[in-house]
Amino acid sequence: MAEILKLTYGIFPKTEKLRVRVGRWERKILPARELEDLIREETEAFQKLARENRISAFTDPLFNWYDIFRPLSLLSGGIELGPLTRYGETNTFYRLPEVRGPLSLNGTPWEYKELGENPPLPLYHVDQGADQLAFVPGPVTFFHFCGNVAAESFGNFSEQLGRFYSQALAKFKFKKFLVFESVPLGDKDLGPFYKSVDPEKTILVTTGKLEGKTLASAGKKFHSVVTGDESGNIRTAAKYSAIPGLALIDAHNTKLEDPKAITNKANDLGKEHGINRLYVTHSDYLDFFPREIAEKKVQLIGKIGE
């Protein structure tokens, strides 16, 4: 049997209490400092949920992120916020990042700061122990969802983005990063981005068909490449990472999977491909669910491999 490590990541649904407080802050009824205090309190509750359910690695729940691009866009001197835009095939929206110049860090994301169009900084509120990861959208995803990049090469953009992330995360104490790619990597050259972000400290969450040449372009093996169970993907993920990962929990379906069935599937794939350790996680971040369902998904992940 493979050793199964449990992973959860990305924006987590807010409690009703926090939603109400964010609404009051938006209407300028609630001071930003009071909202910040509640975000810290709710983040601690999320950490407790993760650890009580034996989650091996998790990111900040990002309760102060309106979308996966906005606070980072507001911290970049080269990006302006565009119109509200539908995010992929979901019913959620994000403010379109529009590239206007070279990306550069414009602020101190590790300190409290009011941003105006987003709840206040810092970017992350988790305690940054060994089981936490810094969450960032990957270069392929950021480029895909940007506006005004027609004249910008992916290589130049991704190299600047990697340097920007390195600067933005410099004073945080995370041991590893989670780079979230919500669109297929295709045949993109990942080398420019991973000059500044160490693949050996990165859990790369992917979607779609994996190409070995694309992963190899990062220059080193990843700590983990997380993939769906499409034919051949796990073999490729295992070749280019120390601990491959499988996204076996559906993040867009409220039906709760059977932990035993997921365990058996993970073990079968591990045995088939000679994998002794692997991460198991969800197929997207969990903010598309009601809070109660998202918590139940975390609880069932905790039961996998037990």
Side-chain angles (χ1 to χ4, degrees):
M1 290 178 60
E3 178 187 0
I4 295 177
L5 306 175
K6 299 87 175 283
L7 169 67
T8 189
Y9 63 86
I11 302 176
F12 200 72
K14 298 176 181 64
T15 61
E16 184 60 27
K17 178 180 178 180
L18 182 53
R19 288 185 182 278
V20 169
R21 297 290 177 85
V22 170
R24 290 177 181 172
W25 169 79
E26 290 173 335
R27 299 192 302 275
K28 303 187 185 305
I29 298 171
L30 184 75
R33 278 287 187 183
E34 290 189 27
L35 179 60
E36 163 70 3
D37 290 343
L38 181 58
I39 288 170
R40 288 190 179 277
E41 179 184 315
E42 299 247 343
T43 299
E44 289 174 2
F46 170 81
Q47 289 183 126
K48 183 179 180 183
L49 171 73
R51 288 176 174 147
E52 285 181 345
N53 286 281
R54 301 168 298 284
I55 303 300
S56 311
F58 55 93
T59 70
D60 192 291
L62 308 177
F63 291 138
N64 63 321
W65 290 39
Y66 274 157
D67 58 62
I68 62 171
F69 308 109
R70 192 176 309 190
L72 294 164
S73 297
L74 290 168
L75 282 163
S76 171
I79 294 177
E80 295 179 5
L81 293 181
L84 277 174
T85 306
R86 186 179 297 277
Y87 178 68
E89 300 299 319
T90 71
N91 290 322
T92 60
F93 293 81
Y94 71 107
R95 285 289 296 276
L96 189 74
E98 296 187 337
V99 179
R100 301 297 183 188
L103 305 189
S104 59
L105 182 63
N106 182 21
T108 52
W110 46 86
E111 295 178 347
Y112 173 84
K113 180 182 179 182
E114 294 183 39
L115 293 176
E117 296 182 73
N118 194 81
L121 297 173
L123 273 178
Y124 310 109
H125 294 81
V126 289
D127 57 29
Q128 296 167 55
D131 50 359
Q132 285 99 356
L133 312 161
F135 176 95
V136 291
V140 180
T141 295
F142 213 131
F143 190 77
H144 176 85
F145 285 103
C146 266
N148 197 39
V149 292
E152 183 80 50
S153 74
F154 172 74
N156 184 50
F157 174 85
S158 62
E159 184 171 10
Q160 290 186 53
L161 187 68
R163 288 198 301 266
F164 169 67
Y165 284 169
S166 179
Q167 294 165 358
L169 299 178
K171 292 195 177 182
F172 291 103
K173 298 179 181 178
F174 293 107
K175 304 294 190 300
K176 292 184 177 68
F177 314 98
L178 187 138
V179 175
F180 175 63
E181 296 285 13
S182 66
V183 297
L185 298 175
D187 60 356
K188 293 288 194 297
D189 180 3
L190 304 181
F193 177 80
Y194 287 103
K195 288 179 182 177
S196 301
V197 178
D198 187 353
E200 293 179 329
K201 297 180 179 179
T202 297
I203 295 178
L204 174 62
V205 175
T206 68
T207 188
K209 179 67 176 174
L210 288 179
E211 300 292 342
K213 182 180 179 180
T214 301
L215 296 175
S217 69
K220 297 179 184 178
K221 269 193 172 185
F222 290 89
H223 171 67
S224 181
V225 174
V226 176
T227 178
D229 61 347
E230 292 92 341
S231 177
N233 268 6
I234 188 62
R235 183 185 302 109
T236 305
K239 183 176 179 180
Y240 293 98
S241 65
I243 307 173
L246 285 165
L248 298 178
I249 308 301
D250 193 333
H252 295 279
N253 189 330
T254 57
K255 180 181 177 181
L256 297 176
E257 292 86 349
D258 178 0
K260 289 184 178 179
I262 297 294
T263 300
N264 291 337
K265 187 170 188 177
N267 280 324
D268 288 346
L269 286 167
K271 183 178 180 180
E272 180 182 351
H273 299 287
I275 298 167
N276 297 320
R277 301 179 76 200
L278 73 161
Y279 285 100
V280 172
T281 189
H282 32 88
S283 60
D284 203 338
Y285 55 86
L286 299 176
D287 195 38
F288 308 103
F289 290 137
R291 174 63 177 247
E292 181 183 2
I293 298 298
E295 288 183 353
K296 288 181 178 179
K297 291 276 186 174
V298 171
Q299 290 164 357
L300 78 85
I301 290 172
K303 296 175 183 175
I304 296 169
E306 298 295 306

